[in-house]
Structure formats: C-alpha cells, structure tokens
Amino acid sequence: MSRTPFIAGNWKMHKTIAAAEAYVAGLLPLVGDVDGIDLALCVPFTALQAVVDSTRGSSVQVYAQNMHWADHGAYTGEISAAMLNELDVHGTLLGHSERRELFGETDRALQQKVPAALAAGLKPMLCVGESEEEREAGETERKLRHQVQEALEKVPVDRLPDVTIAYEPIWAIGTGKVATPEQAQEACGFVRALVAGFDEAAAEQVRVLYGGSVKPENAAELLALPDIDGALVGGASLEPASFAAIVDAVRS
Ligand code: PEP
C-alpha cells in the first residue's frame, strides 16, 4: 500500500493576515510544481480566509488549528465545523499538545471533535504524543494507546483512512531535540498498530506523521522510515524557504 507523503506546517499563533499573504506569495513559486506530496498549512483562524484565497488553485491545502465539536451554541470563543466550511478550509488540526497542555483539551472532547470534523467534510489531523517524563517512565505506549483509542472510538470504520495522525513527542516540540529514527519509527508503527485494532485495512491507508523539530536536515531520514508518511512542522514552517527546503528534501 503506498501512501501519499504529507507535509504540514503549523504556524501556531504567528502571522497577521498581511504576513500570511506575504508568506504564501513567497511559498507558491517554491512548491508550485510539487507533485505526489500533499502540502498543508495550519493557519490561525483570522488568516484562514486570506490563505484559502491566496492558495486557491495551488497544491497547498489549508487547515485550521482547532475546532469545536458542536455546530453552534453557547461556546464563547470557539469555532465550529460549519464556520470553517464556510471559509472552504480543507481540514483542521485537533489535539495539538499545546491545546492539551495549555488549554485543557481532553481526549473526551477529541472523541467528539474527530467524528464531527469528518461528518462536516473536514479532514482531521489528530496529534498525539508523550511527555519527557512519560517516556522516561516507560509510559509512551500507554499514553499513545489511550490517546488514539479515545479519539478514534466514535469514528466510523470506513472513515478511519481520512484521519491523519501526527505523532509528536512533546519533548521534541520546539526544543530542537528530535526523536531518533528508531524512536520515531517505533512510536509511529505503534500508532498504526492501534489503528489496526479498529480495522486492519484502514491502518494500511491511514497516514501517520512525525512532528517535533523537523528541519530540512532531518526530514528525509525521518520520512524514509516505513511507518512515517510525512511531517508536521512548527518552527521550520514559519519561513517559506525552510518549509520549501523540507519539501525539497523529501522530494529528492
Ligand atoms: C508543532 O508545532 O507541531 C511542532 C512539531 O513544532 P516544531 O517543529 O517547532 O517542533
């Protein structure tokens, strides 16, 4: 089973509308001829419309960074799938570790968000990963099992291949510390095996990405691993040149 590589940039809370438009103007000439790799930018809500408009017709997809599970309601400060759909975005990150650690995102909420995104026609990118303490205590698999099983519990089996799962060890995010190829492959292989627990055919199709200090220098080695289908890139996605250099490294 061949899975199309997927490279996504997570801008986090960076870029005004003007900065986002300048970025896209710089990026498109660098990745315009990319074929056979899916590309996405995960953009702050306020810049989504501008990035959807400026990437229209290109190979770059646009993702939000979070979404509420309800269609509408008394949820001050939240954004629904219907609101994202109106902007024509392709998908959304869900459960990024910064949302989990800083803003109280729970596995129980993700159990509602992942199927809600799918039902609305948005592609969910579910983030999972262990902290440094959990890894040192030998609890990586327990943590991943809990996160993946909870979040996918209510996803119809035939929709599992439409979920992308980003394995992001928290200790590697924004720290410059990268998981070794052995650690990354082992964890991503384990995530795929967890999907196989729901459906074996879906596990062959689902894309598992690695995230955590991915740079142009380490991207190709990580993406060559059998269970790693792409990368979720934070810091190195903030400049068009370094994001494009990661895409180039994977292409070659
Ligand atoms: C991220 O934000 O998901 C991430 C992996 O960040 P960084 O690449 O900066 O470690």
Side-chain angles (χ1 to χ4, degrees), residues 10 12 93 96-98 127 168 172-177 210-215 232-237:
N10 174 18
K12 313 193 187 202
L93 281 183
H96 190 279
S97 62
E98 288 153 13
C127 303
E168 299 205 298
I173 296 180
T175 58
K177 280 194 216 170
Y210 167 80
S213 298
V214 173
K215 305 262 177 310
L232 179 56
V233 185
S237 75

Side-chain angles (χ1 to χ4, degrees), residues 87-109:
L87 302 181
D88 257 2
V89 309
H90 300 84
T92 183
L93 281 183
L94 290 173
H96 190 279
S97 62
E98 288 153 13
R99 301 272 353 139
R100 293 175 186 264
E101 299 230 304
L102 303 174
F103 302 103
E105 179 84 288
T106 63
D107 289 310
R108 191 45 63 92

Side-chain angles (χ1 to χ4, degrees), residues 10-26:
N10 174 18
W11 287 354
K12 313 193 187 202
M13 196 176 73
H14 292 283
K15 302 194 188 299
T16 60
I17 293 173
E21 285 174 335
Y23 178 102
V24 172

Side-chain angles (χ1 to χ4, degrees), residues 49-129:
Q49 183 73 72
V51 176
V52 166
D53 289 343
S54 55
T55 55
R56 211 180 288 279
S58 80
S59 58
V60 178
Q61 300 197 359
V62 184
Y63 276 49
Q65 297 177 5
N66 187 23
M67 186 202 88
H68 197 272
W69 63 80
D71 245 10
H72 56 264
Y75 301 107
T76 302
E78 294 288 329
I79 298 284
S80 74
M83 294 167 182
L84 295 177
N85 265 332
E86 198 172 35
L87 302 181
D88 257 2
V89 309
H90 300 84
T92 183
L93 281 183
L94 290 173
H96 190 279
S97 62
E98 288 153 13
R99 301 272 353 139
R100 293 175 186 264
E101 299 230 304
L102 303 174
F103 302 103
E105 179 84 288
T106 63
D107 289 310
R108 191 45 63 92
L110 291 163
Q111 197 173 86
Q112 299 186 71
K113 289 184 177 194
V114 176
L118 289 165
L122 292 166
K123 295 179 208 156
M125 185 182 289
L126 171 72
C127 303
V128 296

